[in-house]
Amino acid sequence: MAEKETSSSGSVGKAGGAPYILDERRRAALAEIDNAHFSWFHVKVCLVAGVGFFTDAYDIFAINYASTMLGYVYGAGSPGKLNASQDLGVKVATPVGTLVGQLLFGWLADILGRKRMYGVELMIIIVGTFAQTLCGQGHAVSIIGVLVVWRFLMGIGIGGDYPLSAVISSEFASTRIRGRMITAVFAGQGWGYFASILVSFIVVVAFKDKILSDPDWNHVNHVDYMWRIVIGVGCIPGVLALYFRLTIPETPRFTMDIERNIMQASEDITNILTTGKFVQDFDAVVQRVEAPRASWSDFWAYFSKWENAKILIGTSYSWFALDIAFYGLGLNSSIVLEAVHFGTPSSTVTGTQFIYDNLHAIAVGNLILNVAGLIPGYYATFFFIDTWGRKPIQLMGFIVLTILFMIMGFGYDKLIATSTGRNVFVFLYCLTNFFQNFGPNTTTFVIPGEVFPTRYRSTGHGISAASGKLGAIIAQVGFSKLVNKGGTNAFVPHILEILAFFMLTGVFSTLLLPETKQQTLEELSHENQHGFVRGYTAQIEVKDGIVVGRRAPRA
């Protein structure tokens, strides 16, 4: 039950005064985190958060492959294919849900706590993913419609993972390794993407004889098993990580600056750094300090200052521009490979042999794109982010991507005219994947987890990430509506030219951002940390979780 707190007076600057001592204790506790040596606890945070991102990416990008399978079973034509609206629905539902989840969980994590919300989003992902494997066709409802609903709900959980994982990693990390820790968490995205393709490849090979035994491509019943397996496997890493998410400790920064309990936060830091465990004494005296608190008026006062507003604008638009390319291509790489005739089956192949050859070629093509570009890009960032810095990597990425997309777009017809040219195109495509991750795809995730004050850090990250998903939605809708304008896949070169323009705009939004390497989270908040604790409220004595009395604060 909430207790009304009564303020006690005290001069911040008065030597020996309780507010002064608590202010010093807060800064000393923050210094412990910022200067801590790398430990097993840091590894645990990276693994627990990273597995979540592995799951997120698997569930998002598995549909890139599963949509082709769905088309063979439930689509029209020979071979079957989802129409443009169906393909758009199953691909855009998750980004829409993700946008909602990023805003909702970003806000809730700043209100209720990182620990309280961590794990909730993973449970939503697990339920939403498993439910997709049980979808069926009926007279009253189509299977595509049901999939869209469940993928939207799954997306809400995925959206919650973005601000929570970024902020938890950031607030537990020491200053000198913070960039690498957050990047290591985000790199789980690349491995999840890779796993979705690898599982798809294994399933196709395992079902080869079954596919070929189907009578014709109008009765590919075994493909119905395949897409369900591909999507359903995404539940496994989430289930394995759930216990650890539910038992991870609250970040000391939340306890200190939002719950305003400096004494508890100091004890938490000592326990975490020495034993890696979290101990909560429910009989302890709770001493709340007076410090800036989140409210609409405070939010407006903070972000109405241009030095803070420009950072939110920079993180949001940079992520928006990046995701137009990352998801516009990432969810449609199979279509692009088909457009350039990379690995597509011979026109002489027919029947179920065509289906097998096409699914096999799509898997191999996507494996090449992932291994040659995506995964190396994450680790290039990992090695340079704490020395070179976030801002130079993001600027370099946007500039190189602008050039690559211009070459691929304006030189498209000449490149795909010959087999050598097609190989060059795929090489350039791999480079775009590399420089997305050794560039803005990683840094747009890292920077928003660092540049906002604790009371708005998760909210700010959620707003930035949601802006990115708005870009992903626009890209997917635009790709779906434009790709066949003028003929099958005829608009692909113009889409690449459009992506070049958005990469160029990302260069300018990056200029609004500060460099965050080797600076503490408090330095980046643009708030004076001396006298951050302005006073204190009455101590509350708790016994077995029940408030039983109050005591005057002691210095």
Side-chain angles (χ1 to χ4, degrees), residues 45 49 65 99 115 130 137 209 245 306 316 335 381 395 495 507 517:
V45 170
Y65 202 80
L99 185 153
K115 173 181 172 58
F130 185 69
Q137 184 87 314
D209 293 338
R245 289 229 166 167
W306 174 242
S316 298
I335 295 175
T381 301
L395 275 173
I495 289 175
V507 173
K517 70 171 183 178

Side-chain angles (χ1 to χ4, degrees), residues 72-372:
Y72 287 142
V73 183
Y74 300 103
S78 296
K81 188 175 183 179
L82 297 181
N83 63 42
S85 296
Q86 291 173 325
D87 185 71
L88 173 62
V90 296
K91 288 180 178 178
V92 82
T94 300
V96 172
T98 303
L99 185 153
V100 174
Q102 286 163 338
L103 292 174
L104 178 63
F105 278 85
W107 173 66
L108 289 175
D110 278 341
I111 300 298
L112 302 177
R114 286 75 159 120
K115 173 181 172 58
R116 189 171 295 181
M117 302 312 299
Y118 213 37
V120 174
E121 87 293 356
L122 196 56
M123 288 187 276
I124 296 173
I125 295 171
I126 294 168
V127 172
T129 303
F130 185 69
Q132 292 173 61
T133 67
L134 305 178
C135 291
Q137 184 87 314
H139 293 293
V141 64
S142 73
I143 189 170
I144 302 302
V146 178
L147 276 171
V148 166
V149 172
W150 283 114
R151 290 193 65 78
F152 170 78
L153 293 174
M154 179 189 75
I156 292 176
I158 291 173
D161 208 23
Y162 276 72
L164 283 165
S165 290
V167 168
I168 286 173
S169 304
S170 174
E171 292 183 350
F172 275 126
S174 57
T175 303
R176 62 187 178 83
I177 63 167
R178 189 176 62 236
R180 279 169 286 173
M181 269 191 67
I182 305 175
T183 301
V185 170
F186 192 62
Q189 184 186 71
W191 290 108
Y193 193 172
F194 173 79
S196 71
I197 304 166
L198 182 61
V199 169
S200 300
F201 176 77
I202 293 171
V203 169
V204 168
V205 173
F207 273 81
K208 178 180 179 179
D209 293 338
K210 297 291 186 181
I211 296 172
L212 297 179
S213 68
D214 282 330
D216 55 55
W217 55 17
N218 291 315
H219 299 87
V220 280
N221 299 323
H222 290 96
V223 178
D224 201 32
Y225 293 94
M226 293 165 58
W227 71 264
R228 296 176 192 273
I229 294 172
V230 169
I231 290 178
V233 168
C235 290
I236 297 174
V239 171
L240 295 177
L242 184 58
Y243 169 78
F244 298 99
R245 289 229 166 167
L246 295 173
T247 56
I248 201 167
E250 182 57 86
T251 69
R253 281 183 164 93
F254 179 87
T255 304
M256 206 178 312
D257 289 354
I258 299 179
E259 291 189 331
R260 298 173 294 122
N261 189 347
I262 292 177
M263 296 174 69
Q264 178 66 53
S266 299
E267 292 176 10
D268 292 346
I269 292 168
T270 301
N271 289 328
I272 290 168
L273 295 181
T274 56
T275 67
K277 296 181 179 179
F278 173 70
V279 179
Q280 186 171 4
D281 183 2
F282 291 101
D283 292 335
V285 173
V286 178
Q287 187 174 27
R288 309 270 186 213
V289 300
E290 288 186 4
R293 303 180 67 178
S295 66
W296 286 113
S297 59
D298 181 73
F299 183 90
W300 174 253
Y302 181 82
F303 284 105
S304 63
K305 297 177 181 177
W306 174 242
E307 65 175 352
N308 301 322
K310 71 177 183 178
I311 294 174
L312 184 59
I313 294 170
T315 57
S316 298
Y317 185 83
S318 296
W319 207 330
F320 171 85
L322 179 277
D323 271 8
I324 283 182
F326 186 74
Y327 283 93
L329 294 182
L331 292 175
N332 299 287
S333 56
S334 301
I335 295 175
V336 176
L337 292 174
E338 180 185 343
V340 300
H341 308 293
F342 182 79
T344 54
S346 169
S347 58
T348 60
V349 177
T350 59
T352 53
Q353 183 67 51
F354 174 88
I355 291 175
Y356 171 78
D357 288 353
N358 192 44
L359 291 174
H360 186 274
I362 291 172
V364 172
N366 278 284
L367 281 172
I368 292 171
L369 295 179
N370 193 280
V371 173

Side-chain angles (χ1 to χ4, degrees), residues 447-466:
I447 295 172
E450 302 176 304
V451 290
F452 304 113
T454 302
R455 64 188 182 280
Y456 298 126
R457 187 166 295 126
S458 184
T459 302
H461 194 284
I463 292 171
S464 304

Side-chain angles (χ1 to χ4, degrees), residues 8-55:
S8 298
S9 61
S11 172
V12 171
K14 183 180 178 181
Y20 176 82
I21 292 175
L22 288 172
D23 191 61
E24 289 290 312
R25 187 168 184 177
R26 173 182 176 273
R27 282 185 280 122
L30 290 170
E32 278 192 78
I33 304 175
D34 293 332
N35 299 318
H37 295 291
F38 186 69
S39 66
W40 168 246
F41 179 76
H42 293 114
V43 175
K44 179 182 176 181
V45 170
C46 289
L47 290 174
V48 172
V51 170
F53 261 89
F54 177 97
T55 304

Side-chain angles (χ1 to χ4, degrees), residues 481-492 494:
K481 300 298 182 183
L482 295 175
V483 67
N484 294 320
K485 186 177 181 180
T488 303
N489 299 329
F491 208 76
V492 167
H494 302 301

